[in-house]
Amino acid sequence: MMNSEWHVSGLVVQARPEKIPRLTSALLAITDTEIPVQDQEHGKLVVVMQAACSHALLEKIELVRNLDGVLAVSLVYHQQDTQGEVTP
């Protein structure tokens, strides 16, 4: 049996507005991370992260929490898919 997991999460990151430019660079340096929307004036970013397993995804989210300027991280979406086929 061969299974392949895939996880995606959507986060809202609240940060200090003056830290947004540096924070954006740090977030985009994390593998499989995108920032589809940001509001620098209010210090808010929508962040989408992907990973092959839940452990890797949780490590990435924890990394975001610890970045300089981050005030709060809210998980607003998570999806897990398992793909594969059963072989005799």
Side-chain angles (χ1 to χ4, degrees), residues 2 8 10 16 20 33 38 53 73 77 88:
M2 184 176 140
V8 64
R16 299 189 184 283
I20 294 291
T33 299
Q38 62 179 294
C53 68
V73 176
Y77 178 79

Side-chain angles (χ1 to χ4, degrees), residues 7-63:
H7 295 258
V8 64
S9 67
L11 311 169
V12 173
V13 177
Q14 179 71 48
R16 299 189 184 283
E18 70 275 9
K19 299 283 186 170
I20 294 291
R22 222 181 248 170
L23 186 57
T24 299
S25 296
L27 287 166
L28 293 175
I30 301 171
T31 307
D32 295 324
T33 299
E34 300 173 23
I35 304 171
V37 179
Q38 62 179 294
D39 179 349
Q40 184 170 352
E41 183 181 345
H42 294 100
K44 294 186 179 184
L45 301 126
V46 173
V47 178
V48 177
M49 303 183 115
Q50 299 180 55
C53 68
S54 60
H55 179 72
L57 186 60
L58 290 172
E59 284 181 348
K60 288 181 180 187
I61 293 170
E62 187 65 21
L63 179 63

Side-chain angles (χ1 to χ4, degrees), residues 64-83:
V64 173
R65 271 184 12 101
N66 293 318
L67 290 173
D68 182 40
V70 171
L71 301 173
V73 176
S74 300
L75 177 66
V76 295
Y77 178 79
H78 176 255
Q79 180 177 339
Q80 172 187 349
D81 283 331
T82 303
Q83 299 174 343

